[in-house]
Amino acid sequence: METKLVKDMTVNELKAIIASIVDEQLRNKEKLGDKRSLQEIFDSIDRHRWTPPLGAKSSLELLREDRDR
């Protein structure tokens, strides 16, 4: 198979590649046997989300600091 850069692909070629990757991922998920519901997955994401401490600088403030150095 010929290797193409994304910039040289048609929209349909790119969609076909994306679809094949999604299909592969779905097949792999079925093989792994992850039986959690979407709600369980969302709850896990909420439990593991990191929240910065109060008074921490925002990402915008950090970017401005880096820019101004």
Side-chain angles (χ1 to χ4, degrees):
M1 179 178 201
E2 172 186 345
T3 303
K4 280 183 143 179
L5 297 175
V6 173
K7 72 180 184 92
D8 297 329
M9 291 180 185
T10 65
V11 171
N12 287 335
E13 289 172 323
L14 184 58
K15 284 181 179 181
I17 290 173
I18 292 169
S20 69
I21 292 170
V22 169
D23 289 342
E24 181 181 332
Q25 293 296 320
L26 289 172
R27 280 191 303 274
N28 288 341
K29 181 188 179 298
E30 291 170 1
K31 288 179 188 174
L32 294 175
D34 189 355
K35 303 295 184 203
R36 295 184 298 170
S37 69
L38 282 178
Q39 189 58 52
E40 289 172 318
I41 294 169
F42 294 147
D43 291 342
S44 175
I45 291 169
D46 288 339
R47 283 192 311 274
H48 293 94
R49 183 177 294 148
W50 179 77
T51 304
L54 291 175
K57 294 180 181 179
S58 70
S59 57
L60 178 60
E61 291 170 315
L62 293 170
L63 286 170
R64 285 181 174 156
E65 280 183 6
D66 283 346
R67 179 193 65 196
D68 295 339
R69 285 186 190 179

